[in-house]
Amino acid sequence: MPRLIETPQVITAAGEPPKRIEEYAGRVATGHTGVSVARMVSPSGWSEPFQSPEFEEITVVLRGVLRVESDAGVLEVAAGQAVVASPGERVRYSTPGPEGAEYLAVCLPAFTPDTVHREDEGA
């Protein structure tokens, strides 16, 4: 029988000011190692350090604008759009707009703190 996920697991997020991560499927919520699916709600002004994850990350923006910086440039991903970051690609996510953003992140394989490879803030 299909398994209902009644509520997500709330996970502590990197970056400031704090954003909310709600994991529906992944290592914490369901024990999945091949994929993680999480809803992010980030306030205006949120940003995190650059990272070079070992996983592919597919991000679908539901509300607001998500800024994605990479060594190739900057993308502004608006509601109704998506962005794909390949494994090993150096990226930084932020929500500088006045309304913040809400988005879904799908990581293949599942997100782990050990495989995200965040840089120090000063890097």
Side-chain angles (χ1 to χ4, degrees):
M1 171 176 238
R3 177 171 44 149
L4 174 65
I5 301 168
E6 292 186 23
T7 59
Q9 292 292 314
V10 176
I11 298 172
T12 302
E16 287 295 325
K19 76 173 178 179
R20 183 175 176 87
I21 299 176
E22 300 173 346
E23 185 180 86
Y24 286 86
R27 294 175 189 270
V28 174
T30 60
H32 285 88
T33 58
V35 64
S36 58
V37 178
R39 175 180 172 252
M40 315 285 191
V41 180
S42 57
S44 174
W46 170 81
S47 68
E48 66 182 356
F50 271 97
Q51 59 191 31
S52 299
E54 294 177 23
F55 47 82
E56 179 176 49
E57 187 164 4
I58 303 162
T59 305
V60 179
V61 178
L62 304 173
R63 179 183 54 79
V65 175
L66 179 68
R67 178 176 289 162
V68 183
E69 299 172 68
S70 74
D71 293 338
V74 178
L75 295 172
E76 300 282 336
V77 187
Q81 297 180 322
V83 62
V84 178
S86 297
E89 190 166 16
R90 184 173 179 262
V91 295
R92 178 166 73 169
Y93 299 98
S94 63
T95 52
E99 70 281 358
E102 178 182 354
Y103 53 98
L104 297 176
V106 178
C107 299
L108 303 155
F111 174 94
T112 72
D114 294 336
T115 61
V116 72
H117 304 297
R118 284 196 181 95
E119 297 177 6
D120 292 333
E121 286 288 347

